[in-house]
């Protein structure tokens, strides 16, 4: 049963500090993206409450044995937490679905198992990295000991609320840190249940905390706090830059930034199965209605196959069914907010004025309560078109054509972003040449999207980010290294 009645879902609106829910004065009104209905108030943590949460986390870090127990014991707790998350799907999935753009059936099939697996992955790294011995003179022993930072500040976006937060929280905890997380004010509630399950799994109270609020007040206070040893952030490039500047001013302290993208999908005429490639391209831009950092939002295609390829894309786009996240029929997600819906349409209209031709869609979908947008194809001749340059974060695919590999590469390079790219070709040499040449953090060849290979790190080049999430790199980024030199008598 994948459909449900959203009015029966009980939402707890609070912070989560020192292992328990903490109520606060209502500050913001949170609405369901699916139908735009108000459904719960959100407390905002002010500077004093952020300070209390961080101090509590620091005390928990110092007084509990989370950082000092045998690392394998941390593994056990995190694995138990992953099991509880999966067992709790009947409660957790509706909470995630009503508050976000994620259809319930996808949360059950994808988000929750993925959160659990990523937790298990980092749990298993807890006892795999202790530091290293240096090649010092023979009568000395030089070592680097890996140690946690203390309290890590994590700030998450709204597009996959549980999953994006978990990318930050799981490696930080596995490395022995305490964490204070600020989720997005647009999708704040499901993470509270996730936090509650952590305590049930045996995480010492105070080691993982959630403070609610907006970026301007709560997020900023977290970044400024002197006890925060490191900040890990996922969100837009503009916000990332301002967080980096705050961390420089009030630290300096290290940052990991996973930011925006404008990722190209290059399709060559030799692809063996046009329909299959078109499906992959279409899914790469319509998944979560294009509200994915690595959305493949720029199709760069060899001119000779343009027409049949566009027909395949149109066929796929027309099959998608927009709907509420609690309906099992939904295959096109809502847009997170009306404001974001208007922003998407604004970019499309500016793109048209600048010469883009609409081949499909091009406008909002009305009648469902929330904001929805038609899967849209825009044929664009000029790379300076706003739909090519700006991150739309909606189901809008620009199309540009090329005649040779060099031209394809030129079109693929973006002046600002370098998050990901897709290359579709039967020619392995060509694929490898492009893998080497593209200035992006991830290249997918003959596929688009990351699957469940969380063993591979993810992160951006250029203005798409600094540092990595996932993979052993994300775990190591939550550790600092102390050098020790000992004279041997
Ligand atoms: P956003 O930058 O508006 O907000 C992200 C978070 O930062 C929110 O929790 C917000 O409250 C907080 N914030 C805002 N201003 C702040 C400030 N001054 N100080 C501290 N915190 C502040 O991003 P969004 O709209 O929530 O998410 C969409 C963006 O995230 C897109 O640009 C997308 O590409 C990016 N994203 C990147 C990745 C990746 O892995 N690279 C993954 C998902 C999303």
């Amino acid at each position: 049963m994948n459909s449900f009645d959203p009015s029966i879902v009980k939402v707890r609106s609070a912070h989560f500090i020192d292992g328990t829910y903490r109520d606060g004065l209502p500050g913001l009104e949170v609405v369901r993206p699916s139908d735009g209905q108000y459904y719960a108030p959100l407390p905002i943590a002010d500077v004093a409450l952020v300070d209390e949460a961080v101090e509590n986390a620091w005390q928990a870090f110092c007084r509990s044995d989370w950082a000092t127990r045998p690392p394998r014991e941390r593994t056990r707790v995190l694995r138990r937490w992953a099991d509880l998350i999966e067992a709790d799907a009947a409660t957790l999935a509706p909470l995630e679905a009503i508050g976000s753009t994620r259809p319930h059936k996808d949360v059950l099939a994808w988000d929750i198992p993925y959160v659990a697996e990523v937790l298990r992955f980092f749990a298993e790294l807890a006892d795999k990295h202790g530091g290293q011995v240096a090649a010092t003179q023979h009568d000395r022993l030089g070592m680097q000991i890996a140690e946690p930072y203390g309290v890590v500040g994590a700030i998450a976006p709204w597009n996959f609320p549980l999953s994006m937060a978990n990318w930050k929280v799981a490696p930080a905890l596995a490395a022995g840190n305490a964490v204070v997380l600020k989720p997005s004010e647009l999708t704040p509630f499901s993470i509270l249940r996730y936090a509650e399950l952590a305590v049930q799994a045996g995480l010492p109270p105070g080691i993982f905390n959630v403070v609610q609020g907006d970026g301007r007040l709560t997020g900023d206070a977290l970044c400024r706090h002197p006890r925060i040893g490191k900040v890990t952030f996922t969100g837009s490039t503009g916000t990332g830059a301002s967080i980096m500047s705050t961390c420089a001013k009030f630290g300096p302290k290290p940052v990991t930034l996973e930011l925006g993208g404008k990722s190209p999908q290059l399709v060559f005429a030799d692809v063996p199965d046009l329909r299959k490639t078109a499906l992959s391209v279409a899914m790469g831009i319509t998944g979560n209605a294009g509200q994915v950092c690595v959305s493949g939002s720029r199709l760069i295609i060899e001119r000779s196959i343009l027409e049949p390829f566009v027909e395949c894309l149109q066929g796929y786009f027309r099959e998608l069914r927009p709907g509420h996240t609690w309906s099992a029929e939904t295959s096109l997600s809502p847009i997170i907010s009306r404001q974001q819906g208007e922003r998407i349409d604004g970019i499309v209209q500016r793109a048209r004025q600048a010469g883009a031709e609409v081949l499909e869609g091009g406008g909002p979908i009305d009648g469902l309560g929330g904001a929805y947008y038609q899967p849209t194809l825009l044929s664009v001749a000029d790379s300076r078109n706003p739909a090519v340059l700006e991150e739309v974060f909606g189901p809008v695919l620009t199309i540009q054509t090329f005649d040779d590999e060099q031209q394809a590469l030129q079109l693929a390079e973006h002046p600002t972003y370098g998050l990901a790219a897709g290359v579709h070709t039967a020619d392995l040499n060509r694929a490898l040449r492009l893998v080497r040449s593209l200035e992006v953090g991830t290249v997918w060849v003959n596929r688009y999207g990351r699957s469940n290979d969380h063993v591979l790190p993810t992160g951006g080049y250029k203005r798409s980010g600094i540092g990595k999430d996932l993979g052993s790199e994300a775990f190591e980024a939550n550790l600092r290294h102390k050098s020790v030199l000992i004279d041997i008598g």
Side-chain angles (χ1 to χ4, degrees):
M1 244 287 278
N2 281 321
S3 294
F4 66 90
D5 173 1
S7 66
I8 62 168
V9 178
K10 287 199 183 66
V11 175
R12 179 78 198 248
S13 167
H15 311 282
F16 194 86
I17 296 172
D18 214 13
T20 53
Y21 286 98
R22 170 76 73 85
D23 293 327
L25 291 177
L28 289 171
E29 294 193 342
V30 186
V31 301
R32 303 190 294 223
S34 290
D35 60 4
Q37 294 288 316
Y38 164 78
Y39 76 112
L42 182 73
I44 296 189
D46 59 9
V47 173
L49 191 63
V50 170
D51 181 52
E52 189 188 325
V54 176
E55 286 298 338
N56 259 308
W58 174 250
Q59 291 305 326
F61 175 77
C62 296
R63 294 206 182 129
S64 80
D65 66 345
W66 183 245
T68 55
R69 66 177 65 176
R72 199 76 204 150
E73 297 291 323
R74 287 205 295 274
T75 304
R76 285 200 187 94
V77 171
L78 296 178
R79 288 193 66 97
R80 205 154 45 228
W81 187 13
D83 293 344
L84 288 178
I85 286 169
E86 281 185 326
D88 194 59
T91 303
L92 198 50
L95 269 176
E96 180 80 331
I98 57 164
S100 77
T101 60
R102 305 291 302 138
H104 182 237
K105 63 176 186 302
D106 295 346
V107 178
L108 285 173
W110 192 85
D111 301 53
I112 287 185
Y114 182 67
V115 165
E117 271 310 288
V118 168
L119 254 178
R120 291 186 185 107
F121 172 76
F122 285 112
E124 285 303 332
L125 289 181
D127 64 352
K128 306 292 184 293
H129 180 87
Q132 45 183 315
V133 173
T136 51
Q137 294 174 34
H138 194 68
D139 57 352
R140 288 178 194 151
L141 181 60
M143 299 181 285
Q144 279 201 312
I145 304 173
E147 296 179 333
Y149 279 95
V151 187
V152 169
I155 299 178
W158 49 260
N159 59 340
F160 295 80
L162 284 173
S163 189
M164 291 297 98
N166 186 56
W167 278 13
K168 306 296 189 190
V169 173
L173 292 180
N177 296 283
V179 175
V180 178
L181 167 78
K182 193 201 85 61
S184 168
E185 59 275 34
L186 300 177
T187 53
F189 300 123
S190 54
I191 203 72
L192 294 169
R193 180 71 179 167
Y194 164 94
E196 191 184 342
L197 295 172
V199 175
Q200 282 180 27
L203 195 74
I207 289 294
F208 175 47
N209 309 274
V210 179
V211 287
Q212 304 284 10
D214 61 9
R216 194 185 45 82
L217 178 63
T218 314
D220 186 63
L222 192 58
C223 297
R224 286 168 184 244
H225 201 287
R227 285 257 192 246
I228 293 288
K230 176 199 164 122
V231 171
T232 176
F233 167 78
T234 298
S236 59
T237 295
T239 306
S242 112
I243 284 176
M244 194 169 175
S245 130
T246 307
C247 288
K249 207 161 148 199
F250 293 86
K253 53 184 97 174
V255 288
T256 295
L257 304 175
E258 296 298 338
L259 309 176
K262 191 72 203 176
S263 303
Q265 299 216 50
L266 282 69
V267 178
F268 288 82
D270 64 359
V271 289
D273 186 338
L274 203 78
R275 294 192 69 78
K276 192 169 158 224
T277 305
L279 182 64
S280 165
V281 168
M283 287 170 69
I285 184 63
T286 56
N288 205 29
Q291 300 163 112
V292 185
C293 54
V294 291
S295 267
S297 53
R298 294 187 295 135
L299 171 62
I300 295 168
I301 186 164
E302 196 159 350
R303 196 181 306 277
S304 59
I305 55 165
L306 174 67
E307 246 175 70
F309 201 85
V310 167
E311 268 174 37
C312 289
L313 288 176
Q314 286 167 324
Y316 180 77
F317 280 15
R318 287 170 195 171
E319 278 173 19
L320 293 172
R321 293 285 158 262
H324 300 148
T325 51
W326 45 85
S327 162
E329 311 302 318
T330 297
S331 51
L332 179 69
S333 287
I335 304 300
I336 186 70
S337 65
R338 292 210 176 99
Q339 192 190 17
Q340 173 62 6
E342 284 162 15
R343 193 185 150 268
I344 294 170
D345 198 43
I347 297 176
V348 170
Q349 299 321 322
R350 278 193 287 123
R352 291 175 79 162
Q353 283 156 18
E357 185 192 349
V358 179
L359 303 181
E360 184 71 22
I365 302 169
D366 297 324
L368 287 157
Y372 291 79
Y373 207 81
Q374 294 170 342
T376 296
L377 294 176
L378 295 178
S379 171
V380 183
D382 185 347
S383 288
R384 290 165 302 177
N385 188 288
V388 173
L389 289 178
E390 295 174 33
E391 186 185 39
V392 178
F393 230 54
V396 178
L397 182 66
T398 59
I399 305 177
Q400 295 169 281
T401 49
F402 65 83
D403 295 302
D404 60 43
E405 188 181 317
Q406 202 48 38
Q407 201 188 357
L409 184 61
Q410 271 167 12
L411 289 171
E413 286 304 337
H414 191 278
T416 316
Y417 296 119
L419 194 54
V423 175
H424 303 268
T425 177
D427 181 342
L428 186 60
N429 288 326
R430 171 157 56 201
L432 292 175
R433 279 195 300 274
L434 286 165
V435 164
R436 287 244 193 259
S437 306
L438 286 161
E439 202 186 344
V440 296
T442 295
V443 184
W444 289 298
V445 176
N446 293 327
R447 59 168 292 113
Y448 200 82
R450 56 170 70 83
S451 85
N452 283 342
D453 294 315
H454 28 260
V455 83
L456 264 179
T458 180
Y461 279 16
K462 301 200 273 194
R463 308 298 165 263
S464 286
I466 296 176
K468 301 285 185 189
D469 274 339
L470 300 179
S472 56
E473 279 85 344
F475 174 75
E476 282 165 30
N478 282 284
L479 290 166
R480 50 191 177 168
H481 293 89
K482 182 178 283 170
S483 292
V484 182
L485 188 60
I486 304 169
D487 276 349
I488 301 174

